[in-house]
Structure formats: C-alpha cells, structure tokens
C-alpha cells in the first residue's frame, strides 16, 4: 500500500518510455531480483527528476489510475521514490522520439517487457 500522506495533491508520478509514433504511453516497470514486478512511482516531479534524471518522461496518476495500472499490468509492488541504478538515468530528453529505442537506457535486468 502507498502512504497517502506523502502524495502531492493525491497524485503519484510514474516514469514512462519516450512516446513512439503510435502515441501510446508505456510505463517503465522493473523486475526485482526476487522476480516480483515493480512499478516505480514518485511523490513529486522534482523527486522523479532527482531519482531518474531530468530527461525522464513521466505521467501523473491518481488513485483510480493506480488501480487501472494494477489491473492491466499485475505489478506486485510499488517502488516509492527509488533511485535508478547508475547508467539507467535519463539526464537529457531525446531530441526526437526516433533517436532512442524504448527502454534502451535501462539495463535489461531492470526492465520488464512493455505490455502491448
């Protein structure tokens, strides 16, 4: 369960992959060493930028949205305000969505295949 008292305006901020030509938003999920599927979430855009890099795309999600994400992805745990490992941070925004393959900045051990 997420501590509601730490949430700004009832929202959490979740990292996404850069948008592709389809316009669909894909969440960045993580597979933990114990095999559980984790959804990173942050209590503010500033905390997300501090932990993931200033160029990390993100979306704001309310409680209903978190429920929908849970139903559609089946994540096991929310990683609240967790820092990205070295080499996985997005410090700058890609100039063009075609400049970067989705998830290419994240080591494969940290990325669950995006849900289609």
């Amino acid at each position: 369960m997420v501590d509601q008292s730490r949430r700004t305006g009832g929202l959490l901020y979740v990292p996404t992959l850069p948008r592709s030509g389809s316009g669909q938003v894909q969440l960045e999920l993580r597979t933990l060493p114990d095999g559980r599927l984790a959804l990173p979430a942050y209590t503010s855009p500033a905390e997300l930028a501090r932990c993931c890099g200033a160029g990390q795309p993100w979306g704001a999600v309310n409680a209903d949205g978190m429920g929908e994400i849970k139903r559609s992805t089946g994540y096991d745990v929310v990683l609240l305000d967790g820092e990205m490992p070295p080499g996985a941070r997005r410090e700058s925004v890609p100039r063009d969505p075609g400049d970067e393959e989705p998830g290419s900045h994240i080591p494969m051990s940290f990325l669950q295949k995006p849900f289609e």
Side-chain angles (χ1 to χ4, degrees):
M1 174 152 253
V2 176
D3 178 0
Q4 302 288 331
S5 66
R6 295 185 64 194
R7 293 172 61 180
T8 306
L11 296 175
L12 285 174
Y13 302 87
V14 295
T16 63
L17 297 172
R19 285 189 184 226
S20 65
S22 72
Q24 286 187 310
V25 173
Q26 294 182 4
L27 299 173
E28 290 196 13
L29 300 172
R30 308 284 186 271
T31 300
L32 300 177
D34 64 6
R36 291 180 298 161
L37 184 60
L39 172 68
Y42 298 87
T43 53
S44 70
E47 191 65 12
L48 184 139
R50 185 185 74 74
C51 293
C52 299
Q56 176 63 56
W58 56 269
V61 181
N62 64 14
D64 291 338
M66 289 296 287
E68 182 59 34
I69 292 170
K70 175 70 171 170
R71 283 187 291 282
S72 65
T73 66
Y75 69 80
D76 299 306
V77 63
V78 173
L79 295 178
L80 195 60
D81 291 338
E83 281 198 51
M84 290 290 289
R89 295 171 53 90
R90 232 189 215 103
E91 298 299 344
S92 63
V93 178
R95 286 166 289 183
D96 178 75
D99 288 353
E100 180 176 308
E101 287 294 316
S104 63
H105 72 292
I106 300 173
M108 288 306 294
S109 62
F110 295 104
L111 178 67
Q112 177 71 18
K113 289 183 181 177
F115 292 84
E116 298 179 3

